[in-house]
Amino acid sequence: MMKFGVLCGGGGTNLQAIIDAVKSGVIKNAEISFVISNNADAYALERARNNGITAVCLPSKELKGDFNAKLIDKIAEFDVELIVLAGFMKMIPAELCKKYKIINIHPSLIPSFCGAGFYGLKVHEAVLEKGVKVTGATVHFVDGEYDHGPIILQKAVEVKYGDTPEILQKRVMEEAEWKLLPAAVDLIANGKVLVDENGIVKIV
Ligand code: GRF
């Protein structure tokens, strides 16, 4: 049984998708050990508590320069193999990248519309400004750079004329994010994700 933790900072709809997938058996051989949020108001914490999962708040605005050390220490209290970033907007310390498998979900088709400054609705605003007709979501391993690291899964989503950033965000979540992230956790928990020497992921 693979144990994993989830780092959040917002509403936690991706966390909910993971919780539901563990319960329904879409994610097999894995259990959630903790949810950590860097924001006390994150509804993600409530979702964790409602599901009997250890919920920890490490308020980054108050902890400031101590945040990373506290995060590292807190995670070390749990025996996890994998850390899932689900709406966690902070840079992950290099020490954690070395110690754990870490994956992130980003609401675009990387390498488009990603990197510093591309978060939340800003991603979808940029997509609409550019006029691309296809966007999507990406799950990737985290290597210490924003939205960077071996790509595990991607799913395309249609951009429709007249979309607002909010409408597009909802479609990307419903059609891609909430499916991709649980699918990636299941693949990793069951030993199906290999990364070759060139950093290319092979699903076996
Ligand atoms: C999602 O769009 C995710 O792709 C991005 O942050 C958002 C988090 O939403 N990294 P939620 O907190 O899971 O609802």
Side-chain angles (χ1 to χ4, degrees):
M1 183 70 77
M2 181 190 77
K3 291 183 179 170
F4 67 103
V6 185
L7 305 189
C8 299
T13 62
N14 281 284
L15 168 67
Q16 190 67 53
I18 292 170
I19 292 171
D20 294 347
V22 169
K23 280 191 184 163
S24 68
V26 167
I27 296 176
K28 292 168 284 300
N29 303 316
E31 64 182 31
I32 307 174
S33 297
F34 65 80
V35 169
I36 295 176
S37 168
N38 69 307
N39 162 22
D41 300 329
Y43 189 63
L45 289 170
E46 194 70 26
R47 293 180 193 272
R49 287 187 204 108
N50 290 343
N51 287 277
I53 299 164
T54 302
V56 180
C57 174
L58 296 176
S60 52
K61 279 191 186 144
E62 287 163 37
L63 291 168
K64 298 197 178 90
D66 294 334
F67 176 74
N68 280 352
K70 297 266 185 219
L71 181 65
I72 291 166
D73 288 351
K74 181 50 74 180
I75 293 174
E77 291 176 18
F78 301 88
D79 178 27
V80 295
E81 268 176 64
L82 172 72
I83 297 170
V84 178
L85 310 186
F88 186 72
M89 304 297 182
K90 309 244 348 136
M91 182 67 91
I92 292 292
E95 190 178 328
L96 286 180
C97 296
K98 280 188 212 134
K99 193 166 170 194
Y100 303 97
K101 282 179 205 157
I102 307 180
I103 64 172
N104 179 47
I105 178 106
H106 181 74
S108 78
L109 293 173
I110 290 175
S112 291
F113 307 106
C114 63
F118 285 97
Y119 59 88
L121 281 174
K122 289 183 188 296
V123 178
H124 306 292
E125 282 163 11
V127 163
L128 293 173
E129 267 167 35
K130 196 69 184 173
V132 295
K133 302 304 179 206
V134 177
T135 183
T138 303
V139 181
H140 63 95
F141 284 110
V142 171
D143 65 359
E145 278 180 57
Y146 280 123
D147 304 326
H148 197 266
I151 291 171
I152 304 167
L153 294 174
Q154 291 189 301
K155 191 166 191 297
V157 173
E158 187 186 356
V159 181
K160 296 185 183 172
Y161 186 81
D163 275 350
T164 63
E166 290 80 4
I167 288 170
L168 185 57
Q169 180 183 51
K170 185 162 179 278
R171 190 179 311 120
V172 169
M173 284 181 154
E174 288 174 350
E175 293 185 10
E177 293 187 48
W178 300 340
K179 294 176 184 160
L180 278 193
L181 194 54
V185 173
D186 179 61
L187 289 169
I188 292 169
N190 292 285
K192 293 181 179 164
V193 178
L194 303 180
V195 184
D196 77 11
E197 63 280 9
N198 299 313
I200 306 298
V201 166
K202 181 180 181 189
I203 308 289
V204 294

